[in-house]
Amino acid sequence: MKILITAELPFDVEAYLKGNEVDYNKGKPLSPKELMKRAKDVDAVISMLSDKIDKDFLASCENLKVVANYAVGYNNIDVQTATEKGVVVCNTPDVLTQTTAELGFTLMMAAARRLPQSEQFTRNKKFKGWKPDLFLGMDLFGKTIGIFGFGRIGQAVAKMASGFNMNIVYNSRSKKTQAELLTGATKVSFEDMVRKSDFVVITAPATEETKHKFTLETFKQMKSSAVVVNIGRGEIIKEKDLVTALQNNMIFSAGLDVYEFEPKIDEGLFKLDNVVLAPHIGSGSYATREAMAKLCCDSVLKVYKGETPKNIV
Ligand code: NAP
Ligand code: GLV
Ligand code: GLV
């Protein structure tokens, strides 16, 4: 089997895939043109979320049978065209759920307690003694958390929030009865979630429906003490509008792992001290990135053998 892996993974994939012909890109990210060239005659591609697996790409592949995306989100892949061409698309659900939820909580707490700003202050030797009003922030305990997109990651965030004695509401298209029982969460309308929450955590996928779900109008409806965290996808928030909201203290702060025009980040965000910026590291623990690599390898091997992996999109 001929497999293209588009970026170097923190796991010995070559040993794991021994016996197969592996074209392993350990250099710079591949441009769309290079990606097409190198995938022309491969049976499988292990792709990154930054690779565009679109119509043109799929049309240029002659032997492609499976694309295993090294991510749970698959908005970089034209799944419909792939399916029409008989190309199986796999992703990495479950193995990254807790790790990503933990980053969500990390961002939430860091944004609520202004951790990067106070760390910077201390590192810059500005700490001259304890003060009653030094870097005051927001409590989580007893507050309301609104989770937008109540799937695997959203529900994991809810479980953590219940340990903080938070009141949990969520918005997704369908009611999640089982998760409600497990976490005590309640389904509310998008508007209610936005108005009532002290913390809003976005864990939805990027789709036509979720694109720009959060605009200036949304931030205007939020509490001025609200903290917004995005660990879903950047395009769910209209980034320019978030900058305006933060500049005008319409909300207290934000914690972001994903960006609308990734890897480009709105210059306005860099100038603000009420936002915590992470470079899309949601699933980035050693153990999880290894588990994701194994899952991608297993997925391509299974499809090649004619088996059906559980993690087909
Ligand atoms: P999941 O289990 O499929 O959960 C996504 C949830 O979003 C679903 O339960 C779905 O529920 C809900 N949803 C979909 N469309 C919606 C809409 N229009 N309005 C409200 N809710 C909507 O996926 P997951 O494993 O939790 O991952 C979620 C997303 O997180 C991924 O797609 C990816 O973009 C992102 N992610 C980011 C990182 C990172 O590094 N920051 C890491 C992993 C994942 P309904 O169908 O009932 O609406
Ligand atoms: C990361 O963003 C993922 O979708 O796994
Ligand atoms: C703070 O350090 C306290 O003891 O309250």
Side-chain angles (χ1 to χ4, degrees), residues 76-234:
N76 58 311
I77 302 177
D78 182 344
V79 178
Q80 196 184 328
T81 302
T83 307
E84 281 163 14
K85 289 190 53 127
V87 175
V88 175
V89 177
C90 296
N91 64 345
T92 59
D94 303 316
V95 293
L96 47 56
T97 297
Q98 294 301 328
T99 304
T100 308
E102 283 176 19
L103 187 86
F105 238 82
T106 304
L107 283 172
M108 191 159 95
M109 297 180 83
R113 295 300 293 273
R114 306 165 69 188
L115 194 68
Q117 300 81 1
S118 60
E119 201 271 351
Q120 189 85 21
F121 173 89
T122 314
R123 189 182 290 273
N124 291 340
K125 301 182 177 161
K126 290 184 181 164
F127 178 42
K128 304 293 180 205
W130 192 90
K131 270 174 73 184
D133 63 347
L134 199 56
F135 286 108
L136 302 188
M138 298 299 173
D139 290 315
L140 272 66
F141 191 88
K143 295 291 174 62
T144 296
I145 180 172
I147 302 171
F148 179 64
F150 204 50
R152 288 172 292 248
I153 297 168
Q155 291 169 26
V157 168
K159 281 196 199 121
M160 292 172 195
S162 68
F164 277 74
N165 193 36
M166 296 179 92
N167 170 40
I168 306 159
V169 299
Y170 70 93
N171 177 255
S172 56
R173 294 165 305 181
S174 61
K175 189 172 161 72
K176 319 283 180 192
T177 312
Q178 191 74 17
E180 286 190 6
L181 289 170
L182 280 169
T183 63
T186 316
K187 186 173 186 284
V188 295
S189 68
F190 182 75
E191 289 67 29
D192 275 357
M193 178 190 73
V194 162
R195 277 193 276 111
K196 291 181 182 156
S197 298
D198 300 293
F199 293 87
V200 173
V201 181
I202 300 170
T203 62
T207 65
E208 271 170 34
E209 268 179 55
T210 62
K211 191 184 157 114
H212 287 183
K213 191 79 184 169
F214 291 76
T215 62
L216 198 58
E217 284 314 306
T218 325
F219 299 122
K220 274 183 189 160
Q221 288 170 46
M222 286 187 184
K223 295 183 181 178
S224 59
S225 56
V227 175
V228 175
V229 170
N230 191 2
I231 51 167
R233 278 290 180 268

